[in-house]
Amino acid sequence: MTADSLSLVWAAVGAVLVFFAGLAVFWAWSLDKRRRYLLLMFGGAMTYAVGLAVAFGDFLPGAVPDEVVAGFCMIAGAILSMEAFARRAGSTLGRGFVLGVVVVAVVGEVWFSAIRPDAVGRVRVEDYVTAAVSIRSVLRGRLLTNGRRGDPVLFFFLIGLAAWCLTRTWFGVSAAALTAGARFGTNIFVTPVYVIFAVLLVPATVTTVWQEVAGVIDVLRTERDTDLLTGVLNRRGFLAEAQRMIDDPRLAPVAMIVCDVDRFKQINDRFGHRAGDEVLQEFGRLLRESARNIDLVGRLGGEEFAILLATSEGGDGFEFAERVRIRLSSEAFAFLPSSQQVTASFGVAGAGTGMLDLETLLHEADRRMYRAKAAGRDQSWPAYRSESS
């Protein structure tokens, strides 16, 4: 096999990899269609693959149409793909920037294809535009600062792609291919240029698909463990996370609070389930706002909630319960008359009372919550208060 034919083989491998990268991204999108940026990435890969196919197949009559179509497809594919990376981080390349690179691409393609034909010059236009959007995507996507797993791989891919585009026409052009009349970026380079592209593309594709699949799994897990009405953890999610918190010595000691909306059935019966739902939603919001990021809030069922406070004693739990109780009693509700006060009763248990396991902590806090109800409701029963007092 000659060097020129080997280069074409590797160029074809790159084209096939782009095509299958697009299919892999489309599959990732099919798992969660809310991730619309993946459709942009898929469209970019397919558009780029079409450009490569036109360059290989020489489908269109005349040299200029083939070159122009192939070039524009590859530039459009690069812009779409890099826009997708930016949107994944909640940003965009920017309309002004995109318009600018499109103008440069159009002028360059027309100039080096029709006015002053030059295969190397035209490929440089395509490469420099791709390098520009790659660097822009890195900056807008904050790939090294957003903390997302796998993003450093994508950072080095995009920087590597930009470097590849900026240098390949200066060091990798095959003089023999140009002498033979090569017209496309798919057949004017020596073999290592195509090998580098494949080496860049494969880990980037694997990382992107892995990130998206992992993201879908995280979303499904969150939806499984979250109470849809109140936005706090449901019973399953709370118990699982609470056990992990208790098992982590760095978060000790802990305080458990169990609370229950007073006379909730009467609210439902008198004012309807819409009013009852509003009460639960507002109570859940108050608990979330009052808790820290390291604390857990969950709905155990019905109108009963639980809060597990990290690095907190029983006294801290009592103070938390009192803050929430006072705020709730002063809240106004849209579906309740202004004279209707909503209150809750709280029971607090701390690890300092000898409870070392989750079941015991919950049971003790629950008993104290019922003690608060028996004592008149709208109060908190602290961990240090005896059952008989």
Side-chain angles (χ1 to χ4, degrees):
M1 181 178 292
T2 66
D4 288 344
S5 59
L6 182 60
S7 292
L8 285 175
V9 168
W10 274 102
V13 168
V16 171
L17 286 176
V18 170
F19 176 76
F20 280 104
L23 291 182
V25 169
F26 182 81
W27 173 76
W29 169 79
S30 70
L31 299 178
D32 185 357
K33 294 183 174 60
R34 292 170 294 186
R35 299 168 184 251
R36 295 182 180 178
Y37 58 84
L38 291 177
L39 278 182
L40 271 181
M41 202 174 293
F42 164 72
M46 292 298 104
T47 304
Y48 198 91
V50 168
L52 292 174
V54 171
F56 274 115
D58 209 10
F59 296 122
L60 303 175
V64 173
D66 272 344
E67 294 172 2
V68 173
V69 170
F72 282 146
C73 283
M74 287 186 276
I75 290 172
I79 292 173
L80 289 173
S81 298
M82 299 310 158
E83 176 70 13
F85 277 115
R87 290 194 182 187
R88 197 179 65 127
S91 184
T92 66
L93 294 178
R95 291 183 180 180
F97 174 81
V98 172
L99 179 61
V101 296
V102 168
V103 169
V104 170
V106 169
V107 172
E109 286 287 335
V110 172
W111 179 265
F112 288 115
S113 295
I115 299 175
R116 188 177 176 181
D118 182 349
V120 174
R122 183 177 45 75
V123 171
R124 278 180 181 157
V125 171
E126 298 164 6
D127 282 355
Y128 293 169
V129 168
T130 300
V133 295
S134 297
I135 294 171
R136 178 76 168 180
S137 181
V138 167
L139 297 176
R140 303 289 282 186
R142 304 183 297 275
L143 295 177
L144 284 183
T145 60
N146 61 21
R148 186 171 181 175
R149 292 174 298 172
D151 271 4
V153 174
L154 299 180
F155 170 84
F156 287 112
F157 161 68
L158 294 177
I159 292 298
L161 178 63
W164 181 77
C165 289
L166 291 172
T167 59
R168 67 171 183 160
T169 55
W170 297 99
F171 303 105
V173 173
S174 169
L178 288 177
T179 302
R183 297 183 286 110
F184 296 100
T186 53
N187 54 21
I188 70 171
F189 295 104
V190 294
T191 300
V193 170
Y194 305 109
V195 175
I196 292 171
F197 179 72
V199 169
L200 287 170
L201 185 62
V202 171
T205 302
V206 172
T207 299
T208 300
V209 173
W210 167 73
Q211 281 184 321
E212 299 307 323
V213 172
V216 169
I217 292 173
D218 288 341
V219 169
L220 292 176
R221 183 181 294 116
T222 299
E223 291 177 347
R224 179 197 66 187
D225 293 343
T226 301
D227 178 64
L228 297 180
L229 179 63
T230 62
V232 302
L233 292 169
N234 58 25
R235 185 181 185 90
R236 172 195 176 108
F238 179 81
L239 294 179
E241 292 298 324
Q243 188 60 60
R244 278 192 282 270
M245 181 185 289
I246 290 174
D247 291 340
D248 189 344
R250 297 171 299 177
L251 301 178
V254 297
M256 179 70 75
I257 305 164
V258 173
C259 47
D260 187 274
V261 178
D262 295 329
R263 299 184 174 91
F264 181 73
K265 186 177 185 303
Q266 293 181 19
I267 295 175
N268 265 336
D269 292 343
R270 290 182 60 193
F271 306 107
H273 289 285
R274 191 172 183 182
D277 287 348
E278 184 196 13
V279 168
L280 294 178
Q281 289 170 337
E282 183 65 14
F283 193 31
R285 182 186 66 80
L286 289 178
L287 292 173
R288 292 199 312 272
E289 290 180 355
S290 302
R292 301 165 298 176
N293 290 335
I294 59 173
D295 300 327
L296 297 178
V297 180
R299 182 184 177 192
L300 300 182
E303 66 271 26
E304 188 174 55
F305 293 78
I307 307 94
L308 185 61
L309 303 181
T311 62
S312 301
E313 304 282 355
D316 300 317
F318 178 73
E319 292 177 4
F320 177 94
E322 281 294 281
R323 286 198 306 271
V324 176
R325 184 186 67 80
I326 293 170
R327 285 187 62 186
L328 178 65
S329 64
S330 62
E331 285 289 322
F333 296 87
F335 297 101
L336 293 176
S338 58
S339 59
Q340 179 67 41
Q341 185 184 45
V342 177
T343 63
S345 300
F346 297 76
V348 182
T353 59
M355 286 79 69
L356 300 177
D357 63 273
L358 176 59
E359 183 179 355
T360 305
L361 274 171
L362 268 174
H363 177 69
E364 187 64 23
D366 191 60
R367 281 203 312 165
R368 293 175 183 275
M369 183 267 292
Y370 279 107
R371 188 71 183 88
K373 282 187 176 293
R377 297 183 175 87
D378 189 24
Q379 58 183 284
S380 304
W381 200 275
Y384 52 79
R385 188 174 180 181
S386 66
E387 292 291 326
S388 58
S389 62

